[in-house]
Amino acid sequence: MNMQELQVKDVESNTCTVGDIDSDTRTPLTTATDGSKYFTTRLARVEDDIPLIATILNQAYKVGEQGILDDSPKFPLVRAKESEVRDMIQAQQMIILLESQTSSTNNDHSCTKLKTILGCVRAFVVDHACTDDRRQNSDYTGEWGCLAIELSHQGRGLGRMLVNAAEQHLHEQSCRFLRIDLLAPSSGDHAHKERLRTWYTKRLGYNLSVPGDYAASTKKLSARSLLAGRFLLANDTDYTCYRKRISIDCEVKNGPIHDRHSA
Ligand SMILES: CC(C)(COP(=O)(O)OP(=O)(O)OC[C@H]1O[C@@H](n2cnc3c(N)ncnc32)[C@H](O)[C@@H]1OP(=O)(O)O)[C@@H](O)C(=O)NCCC(=O)NCCS
C-alpha cells in the first residue's frame, strides 16, 4: 500500500457536536494538542485498526532496520504480519496514536472529525503468568517495542507520546521495571540506532541492564543468522538490553507536540 492509499483508507469521517472533539475515543491513555489537531493514544481495536498498524509498523521498520535486518526479495522484512498484530491487540498490548482534526462547522452546527492512525507501540508484561504475589515483587517487569511512527510524521514528538503511553500502560499493570532492546551493528555507525540509544539513555532514563557493563548487557549475533527464528541479520549485530525503574510524571511527559522539520 502506498502513502496515498494509506491516507485515504486511514481517515474515518464522522460527525460530532462542536467542542466534543474526543467523544468516541474509548480508553484514551494520553492526549496532546497542536492547534486544530488533537492527538490521542488508546488501545487498538481488532475491528478497526489491524491493517493500518501493520502498514505503519512494517514501513517504519524497513527504514529503521536498514543495514541491520535483511530486506530482499528472498527475505522481505515484515516486522509483524496482520495475524500477529491481531494477537497483540487481543492481548491488549497494542497502543495506537490517533490524530483527530476537526473541520469547519457545517450549516447544521455539526463538525467533521477526521481520525488518522499515525503510530503504534506494543507494551506487554514480560512474565504475564505471574501470580499476584509475584506482582508485589520489586522486579515485576514490562517491556515495550514495535514502536513506529508513520514516516512523514516522525520527528514531531509523537514517538515520545507513544512511549509515555506504553510506560503508563505498564505502570497500571503494576510493573516496577521496564525493559527495551536495541539492535545495532557491532561495528560502524548507524545514525538512526545511535539516535535511539541516546534517546533511551539520556532522555528516557534507561540504563544498561547490567549497569555500566555494555558487554554483559549485550548478546553478540552473527551476520546471516536468524533473529527470533525469522529475521535474517545483514551484519554482525549487538542486541543490547536496557532497563529502568518505572516512574510516571504525566505532566512533564505530555508536553506540547513539536515539529522538528520546521525548526
Ligand atoms: C523511533 C520512532 C518511533 C521515533 O518516532 P518520532 O515521532 O520521530 O520520535 P520523536 O519525535 O518523539 O523523537 C524521539 C526522540 O528522538 C530524538 N530526535 C527526534 N528527531 C530528531 C532529530 N531530527 N534530530 C535529533 N534527535 C531527534 C529526540 O531525542 C527525541 O526525543 P525527545 O524529544 O524526548 O528529546 C521513529 O523514528 C520510527 O518509527 N522509527 C522506525 C522504527 C524504529 O526504529 N523503532 C524503534 C525500535 S523499537
Side-chain angles (χ1 to χ4, degrees):
M1 186 186 283
N2 65 32
M3 272 321 301
Q4 248 173 351
E5 286 170 322
L6 178 68
Q7 270 162 3
V8 174
K9 290 203 171 169
D10 213 318
V11 170
E12 172 193 342
S13 269
N14 55 15
T15 57
C16 63
T17 312
V18 177
D20 187 16
I21 195 165
D22 196 31
S23 56
D24 78 339
T25 44
R26 284 172 271 168
T27 349
L29 293 168
T30 51
T31 55
T33 53
D34 174 18
S36 62
K37 292 178 183 160
Y38 187 81
F39 300 90
T40 311
T41 56
R42 65 156 168 79
L43 286 169
R45 299 173 195 148
V46 166
E47 63 275 24
D48 300 326
D49 305 328
I50 294 172
L52 278 170
I53 292 173
T55 302
I56 290 171
L57 187 56
N58 290 322
Q59 287 180 344
Y61 269 72
K62 271 180 185 289
V63 177
E65 301 300 328
Q66 251 169 30
I68 296 169
L69 300 179
D70 203 29
D71 185 21
S72 59
K74 198 170 165 202
F75 266 101
L77 176 57
V78 179
R79 177 62 190 83
K81 296 182 217 144
E82 289 195 6
S83 58
E84 293 168 308
V85 172
R86 172 183 292 274
D87 290 346
M88 294 176 207
I89 296 176
Q90 280 173 335
Q92 302 222 306
Q93 298 174 346
M94 187 54 90
I95 297 167
I96 55 170
L97 184 136
L98 288 166
E99 178 189 85
S100 300
Q101 194 166 9
T102 310
S103 75
S104 54
T105 310
N106 303 325
N107 289 342
D108 62 353
H109 300 290
S110 67
C111 61
T112 305
K113 186 165 63 174
L114 304 172
K115 286 190 174 185
T116 312
I117 299 176
L118 295 185
C120 64
V121 64
R122 178 186 180 208
F124 56 102
V125 176
V126 175
D127 184 359
H128 52 81
C130 269
T131 60
D132 281 348
D133 280 354
R134 248 307 303 285
R135 271 173 208 263
Q136 302 308 319
N137 284 354
S138 56
D139 65 346
Y140 193 58
T141 299
E143 179 170 344
W144 56 261
C146 289
L147 173 66
I149 292 290
E150 198 277 315
L151 295 173
S152 63
H153 291 273
Q154 293 182 4
R156 301 174 60 199
L158 300 177
R160 175 68 174 240
M161 200 175 158
L162 273 173
V163 169
N164 296 345
E167 293 188 347
Q168 184 183 325
H169 184 59
L170 294 169
H171 177 65
E172 284 164 7
Q173 291 175 73
S174 309
C175 293
R176 302 284 198 281
F177 281 89
L178 298 174
R179 60 166 265 184
I180 48 175
D181 300 319
L182 182 73
L183 273 185
S186 299
S187 58
D189 239 12
H190 191 289
H192 174 64
K193 294 297 183 160
E194 290 318 309
R195 205 179 89 192
L196 285 181
R197 197 190 306 281
T198 305
W199 184 34
Y200 295 165
T201 55
K202 303 273 190 278
R203 303 279 297 161
L204 297 177
Y206 287 82
N207 298 306
L208 290 166
S209 59
V210 180
D213 193 338
Y214 181 82
S217 309
T218 300
K219 270 189 214 154
K220 293 276 180 194
L221 307 172
S222 304
R224 314 316 293 167
S225 63
L226 285 180
L227 175 67
R230 59 186 265 205
F231 301 112
L232 184 64
L233 292 166
N235 292 295
D236 289 348
T237 300
D238 284 7
Y239 184 93
T240 307
C241 182
Y242 293 86
R243 198 161 180 264
K244 79 170 177 184
R245 184 181 283 278
I246 209 159
S247 84
I248 297 291
D249 178 357
C250 288
E251 258 183 18
V252 174
K253 283 167 175 273
N254 297 336
I257 300 294
H258 45 278
D259 192 347
R260 287 192 183 83
H261 298 307
S262 61

